């Protein structure tokens, strides 16, 4: 059972940083691939970053490579997204998701958190 809760969003100036957290209050966590997606108003949900269950494999959208870092702590049942050098186009609701594979298609994930808002002022 996976129940995901995100936190850490907020308002930040362009160039600033935020660290998002996603904690699973359910029983299992380490067997899941975890990803972050984001959705801005009027846009489709898009893949941001993903990490394998061991943490040994990660993937990033081209738009965030070199600025965002995904990590996980299986003992705490938490996945993180460190976001540096934020840009106005990064503003969106960020959701974490759990799945059986590390893929960019949101339809392949069956457990989602409610999301946390990230706002970036220019």
């Amino acid at each position: 059972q996976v129940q995901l809760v995100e936190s850490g969003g907020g308002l930040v100036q362009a160039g600033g940083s935020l660290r998002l957290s996603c904690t699973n209050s359910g029983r299992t966590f380490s067997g899941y691939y975890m990803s972050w997606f984001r959705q801005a108003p009027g846009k489709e949900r898009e893949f941001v970053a993903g990490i394998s269950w061991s943490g040994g494999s990660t993937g990033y959208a081209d738009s965030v490579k070199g600025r965002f870092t995904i990590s996980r702590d299986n003992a705490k049942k938490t996945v993180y997204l460190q976001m540096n050098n934020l840009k106005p186009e990064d503003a969106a609701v960020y959701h974490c998701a759990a799945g059986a594979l590390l893929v960019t298609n949101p339809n392949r994930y069956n457990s989602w958190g409610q999301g946390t808002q990230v706002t970036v002022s220019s």
Side-chain angles (χ1 to χ4, degrees), residues 81-96:
L81 186 67
Q82 177 66 44
M83 306 186 294
N84 299 328
N85 190 21
L86 282 159
K87 303 176 180 181
E89 53 264 39
D90 294 318
V93 176
Y94 283 70
H95 299 266
C96 64

Side-chain angles (χ1 to χ4, degrees), residues 4-73:
L4 304 174
V5 179
E6 301 96 335
S7 61
L11 172 64
V12 63
Q13 288 188 331
S17 298
L18 283 174
R19 188 195 196 201
L20 306 184
S21 299
C22 170
T23 299
N24 175 30
S25 61
R27 206 171 62 173
T28 60
F29 182 73
S30 60
Y32 288 95
Y33 288 76
M34 299 296 299
S35 289
W36 287 95
F37 288 79
R38 66 187 181 187
Q39 189 165 19
K43 295 188 177 181
E44 293 185 351
R45 188 167 295 191
E46 65 172 350
F47 173 81
V48 175
I51 189 167
S52 62
W53 68 270
S54 69
S57 179
T58 58
Y60 296 91
D62 288 342
S63 59
V64 307
K65 280 181 182 176
R67 300 188 297 122
F68 291 12
T69 303
I70 189 170
S71 61
R72 67 189 294 166
D73 184 336

